[in-house]
Amino acid sequence: AQSVAQPEDQVNVAEGNPLTVKCTYSVSGNPYLFWYVQYPNRGLQFLLKYITGDNLVKGSYGFEAEFNKSQTSFHLKKPSALVSDSALYFCAVRESGGSYIPTFGRGTSLIVHP
Amino acid sequence: KAGVTQTPRYLIKTRGQQVTLSCSPISGHRSVSWYQQTPGQGLQFLFEYFSETQRNKGNFPGRFSGRQFSNSRSEMNVSTLELGDSALYLCASSFKLPGELFFGEGSRLTVL
């Protein structure tokens, strides 16, 4: 069975500082990995994905993520945080060759302080 | 291009009633999936449809059902509502599998 872990319920960072939101996964085969962001009372918005290829993936709003197969991680990063980045972030995994049912992490609340 | 549209956005029902939620995917997207979001359980997969066929179903009781029409629009139905069904129900569409999901704003259901 596939699973996703987001070990931090909340991440606090000062505006202008780099941010990292952690995600680790477990699948039997090769993973398809995604990051989504959710603002209050809104649906989820796609940020970036890893399917194959370069381990460093660049996405929307200056976010990037690095796929690390040996550590089964897919951490979300941004060099300089903005107050407007404050939101709930979800990591998701789909297993290649499987049913493609996505499993989402429980979410990490990012708070960027002015 | 218009995004995923869900209706209604908010609704209040009482225990024992039933509810139908609607989702219109992005034009050209043939895959539609549904999720239940609650503070306690997070995002839980309900079901996925592709070209009017249910491809996958999550671990929910039979009270939860859905369907997809020939124009890719989808509906989900919850019968005999329970208090625990109170949640944000999200619909997402995708152009292909396993592509990224495009979510609607959700339908917030409150069961009293």
Side-chain angles (χ1 to χ4, degrees):
Chain A
Q2 61 192 32
S3 65
V4 175
Q6 293 182 242
E8 300 155 318
D9 290 336
Q10 184 171 303
V11 169
N12 290 277
V13 64
E15 187 174 31
N17 283 0
L19 69 87
T20 298
V21 182
K22 296 179 180 178
C23 171
T24 58
Y25 66 90
S26 174
V27 296
S28 301
N30 293 320
Y32 298 133
L33 295 157
F34 305 82
W35 275 103
Y36 295 87
V37 60
Q38 185 178 33
Y39 297 99
N41 299 313
R42 306 292 295 275
L44 279 68
Q45 295 178 31
F46 168 74
L47 280 178
L48 51 79
K49 66 181 177 184
Y50 172 83
I51 303 297
T52 187
D54 290 340
N55 290 343
L56 184 62
V57 179
K58 294 187 182 296
S60 307
Y61 313 121
F63 285 94
E64 59 186 30
E66 185 167 11
F67 170 63
N68 188 318
K69 188 172 184 178
S70 62
Q71 298 186 5
T72 61
S73 67
F74 191 58
H75 301 331
L76 181 70
K77 299 182 180 184
K78 188 174 183 182
S80 179
L82 300 173
V83 172
S84 58
D85 292 330
S86 298
L88 190 57
Y89 290 80
F90 290 94
C91 180
V93 66
R94 289 186 168 196
E95 184 175 349
S96 68
S99 65
Y100 293 140
I101 293 176
T103 298
F104 288 84
R106 296 189 62 83
T108 298
S109 177
L110 173 67
I111 300 175
V112 182
H113 302 277
Chain B
K1 188 182 275 191
V4 177
T5 303
Q6 291 188 246
T7 57
R9 289 291 313 279
Y10 302 92
L11 63 167
I12 300 174
K13 295 285 187 179
T14 57
R15 280 180 299 174
Q17 288 187 309
Q18 73 166 9
V19 65
T20 298
L21 308 178
S22 180
C23 172
S24 293
I26 291 173
S27 178
H29 287 193
R30 291 192 291 166
S31 173
V32 174
S33 51
W34 289 88
Y35 304 84
Q36 181 194 66
Q37 185 178 23
T38 59
Q41 298 297 318
L43 269 164
Q44 302 288 314
F45 171 81
L46 280 158
F47 21 68
E48 180 176 52
Y49 290 88
F50 185 85
S51 295
E52 302 180 68
T53 301
Q54 187 180 85
R55 287 174 51 94
N56 293 296
K57 189 176 190 302
N59 189 25
F60 278 81
R63 300 186 297 108
F64 291 80
S65 62
R67 58 179 177 170
Q68 186 180 33
F69 302 96
S70 58
N71 61 358
S72 293
R73 190 177 70 85
S74 178
E75 289 181 347
M76 67 163 283
N77 183 277
V78 188
S79 62
T80 319
L81 284 167
E82 301 177 358
L83 295 178
D85 296 333
S86 295
L88 181 66
Y89 289 88
L90 292 165
C91 168
S93 72
S94 178
F95 178 66
K96 62 180 180 180
L97 297 173
E100 60 269 31
L101 300 171
F102 294 85
F103 285 83
E105 301 281 87
S107 293
R108 184 165 295 281
L109 170 65
T110 301
V111 182
L112 302 176

